[in-house]
Amino acid sequence: MVGPKRIIDNLSFAVDAGETLALAGSNGSGKTTTLRCLLGTMRPTSGRALIAGSPFSPRNSTRVGYLPEERGLYRKERVLDVMSYFGHLKGLDRVRARKEAVSYLERVGLGDKQRSRLDKLSGGQHQKVQLGIAIMNEPHLLVLDEPTKGLDPINRQLLMDLVVECQARGSGVILVTHHMEEIERLCQRALVLRDGVAKAHGTIAEIQAAFGSRRILVRSADVISESTTFSVESRQGDLYRLIPRSGAPDRDILSELVATGSRVARFEPQKTSMQEIFVRLYSEDAA
Ligand SMILES: Nc1ncnc2c1ncn2[C@@H]1O[C@H](COP(=O)(O)OP(=O)(O)OP(=O)(O)O)[C@@H](O)[C@H]1O
């Protein structure tokens, strides 16, 4: 007999209207469980999860769009019927629900699948239909659990565009993703979970400042050597990658380069990628 296990520990976060929060973390770190607590399919042992000030309930459920990790609609039904049905459940009148469904299907390249049964669609097509249902009535909160999983690059881009549009219309979006470049492209803030604990939480810039390492890319025809404000990490022709010494501001580094006679054609402080930060947060040191 296995005893109880703590999956999520002391987690606190908020999502504002018109912003996208990434919920990231390795497999089994507790992302889906967090969403399930928020959407009432699991009850936390303590704490509260509120949507616009109230727990998830039939009353506010229509303003929440959810794309779960496990895809699954009524497989024997036809695409347009299913979308119209859910649109109506979410509060759209029947004519509007059908119209929104048709226009969405055309937008995502499924205009010719309106009369197809769901079990005749590919996995990616099914996923697009399910996303369409999640966003149909312009929800206040859109919760997407790995929405681009298994999509080809074109459909992935299409889906990311749709998320950006929802956000621009004022939806708050929670995006569970394993793709760090999606976080950089779509999200204003991120929360990285490790074993149910938030290891990083903040704006992307804050996370990069806290967990990233500074590098500066410099192009100079003159030889650059180590100095009191920086070390030289690498050189490829006239392109140097410098590591600032602790606390040395960019302007001091540039001044020193110029003072020592380097003709600087490019000076570009670089951000650490979320990919690098994620790996770092999961390294032994971070533990
Ligand atoms: N129904 C369940 N019963 C018991 N344990 C569960 C259940 N669902 C999830 N868990 C456990 O909770 C932990 C977190 O799972 P969860 O599905 O939230 O992770 P996740 O971060 O969404 O992972 P993934 O990236 O693989 O989807 C895991 O250790 C998992 O084994």
Side-chain angles (χ1 to χ4, degrees):
M1 164 105 179
V2 180
K5 184 178 166 193
R6 194 181 290 257
I7 304 293
I8 301 294
D9 193 12
N10 198 23
L11 189 64
S12 175
F13 67 93
V15 185
D16 284 331
E19 76 162 358
T20 300
L21 172 83
L23 192 54
S26 68
N27 297 130
S29 58
K31 303 177 298 296
T32 298
T33 305
T34 301
L35 299 186
R36 287 178 178 154
C37 290
L38 177 65
L39 299 174
T41 48
M42 272 186 179
R43 203 139 54 98
T45 43
S46 65
R48 294 181 309 161
L50 305 176
I51 297 169
S54 313
F56 183 82
S57 70
R59 199 164 47 82
N60 61 17
S61 68
T62 55
R63 300 321 307 258
V64 178
Y66 179 38
L67 180 69
E69 189 180 16
E70 58 288 341
R71 319 286 179 233
L73 295 167
Y74 305 124
R75 301 186 62 80
K76 304 282 180 211
E77 301 297 329
R78 295 182 197 283
V79 170
L80 184 57
D81 296 341
V82 169
M83 288 193 75
S84 307
Y85 170 73
F86 278 106
H88 185 54
L89 275 190
K90 284 163 170 267
L92 302 180
D93 69 54
R94 287 182 196 284
V95 175
R96 168 101 192 275
R98 210 168 173 82
K99 202 166 146 236
E100 293 290 335
V102 170
S103 116
Y104 174 83
L105 289 169
E106 274 162 10
R107 166 87 197 272
V108 301
L110 295 177
D112 60 342
K113 302 286 185 195
Q114 295 176 23
R115 303 297 305 152
S116 300
R117 271 174 30 173
L118 274 143
D119 59 1
K120 304 289 181 214
L121 299 187
S122 75
Q125 291 169 338
H126 190 123
Q127 199 161 323
K128 287 197 282 183
V129 171
Q130 205 160 342
L131 177 75
I133 291 169
I135 66 176
M136 247 175 132
N137 65 332
E138 302 189 0
H140 292 324
L141 177 66
L142 184 58
V143 180
L144 305 172
D145 201 345
E146 297 188 45
T148 60
K149 190 160 87 177
L151 292 184
D152 66 56
I154 303 291
N155 279 307
R156 208 169 144 213
Q157 181 61 52
L158 174 65
L159 194 134
M160 287 197 277
D161 292 346
L162 289 166
V163 174
V164 170
E165 285 169 26
C166 289
Q167 184 202 312
R169 282 198 298 264
S171 296
V173 183
I174 300 177
L175 174 72
V176 170
T177 181
H178 289 296
H179 297 286
M180 296 299 115
E181 77 282 4
E182 280 179 13
I183 297 181
E184 285 162 356
R185 283 164 71 176
L186 295 178
C187 304
Q188 290 71 51
R189 293 191 302 119
L191 192 159
V192 182
L193 277 178
R194 180 174 163 166
D195 298 330
V197 175
K199 281 289 167 191
H201 183 196
T203 64
I204 305 302
E206 284 165 352
I207 292 174
Q208 283 170 328
F211 300 99
S213 45
R214 289 172 61 209
R215 296 279 189 282
I216 299 174
L217 213 57
V218 173
R219 188 180 293 283
S220 171
D222 303 300
V223 174
I224 295 177
S225 358
E226 306 268 325
S227 98
T228 49
T229 57
F230 62 82
S231 61
V232 179
E233 184 183 45
S234 64
R235 174 187 177 184
Q236 267 189 317
D238 61 355
L239 203 59
Y240 293 79
R241 191 185 293 270
L242 309 183
I243 305 178
R245 297 205 191 275
S246 66
D250 294 349
R251 63 175 180 282
D252 288 6
I253 294 170
L254 182 56
S255 305
E256 182 154 357
L257 286 169
V258 173
T260 51
S262 302
R263 285 161 293 169
V264 176
R266 179 176 170 190
F267 184 90
E268 194 179 301
Q270 296 204 300
K271 290 180 184 145
T272 312
S273 70
M274 284 301 293
Q275 169 74 24
E276 204 177 324
I277 290 173
F278 187 92
V279 171
R280 201 168 289 173
L281 287 169
Y282 270 80
S283 71
E284 286 307 312
D285 289 347

